[in-house]
Amino acid sequence: MVTKLSKRELEVLDLLAKGLTSRQIADTLFISVQTVHVHRKKQPIPVHIYTQRVTYFCCFS
């Protein structure tokens, strides 16, 4: 099942795939670390899968 991600969730995933920490992501997107954690919990999959999803969504959406 493919889950449609919000623009913000995609931004968080993109930054995760680039290796940023939750704190760095929060600072970059001007959101709280807790919000980053919420976005991450919505997609509880390993980082290498995040990278694949980000690549897919950036190329095909």
Side-chain angles (χ1 to χ4, degrees):
M1 180 174 131
V2 176
T3 304
K4 185 168 179 149
L5 302 175
S6 70
K7 180 182 175 189
R8 182 60 85 183
E9 289 167 335
L10 284 172
E11 290 171 330
V12 170
L13 290 176
D14 180 48
L15 295 172
L16 278 171
K18 291 177 180 175
L20 275 69
T21 65
S22 292
R23 167 52 59 197
Q24 291 169 321
I25 293 168
D27 291 344
T28 300
L29 299 178
F30 304 103
I31 59 177
S32 72
V33 173
Q34 184 60 36
T35 301
V36 174
H37 289 223
V38 168
H39 289 314
R40 291 181 72 171
K41 286 181 182 178
K42 288 182 180 179
Q43 295 295 318
I45 54 178
V47 173
H48 72 280
I49 301 297
Y50 282 123
T51 305
Q52 292 172 356
R53 283 191 175 188
V54 168
T55 301
Y56 176 82
F57 284 112
C58 289
C59 295
F60 299 107
S61 55

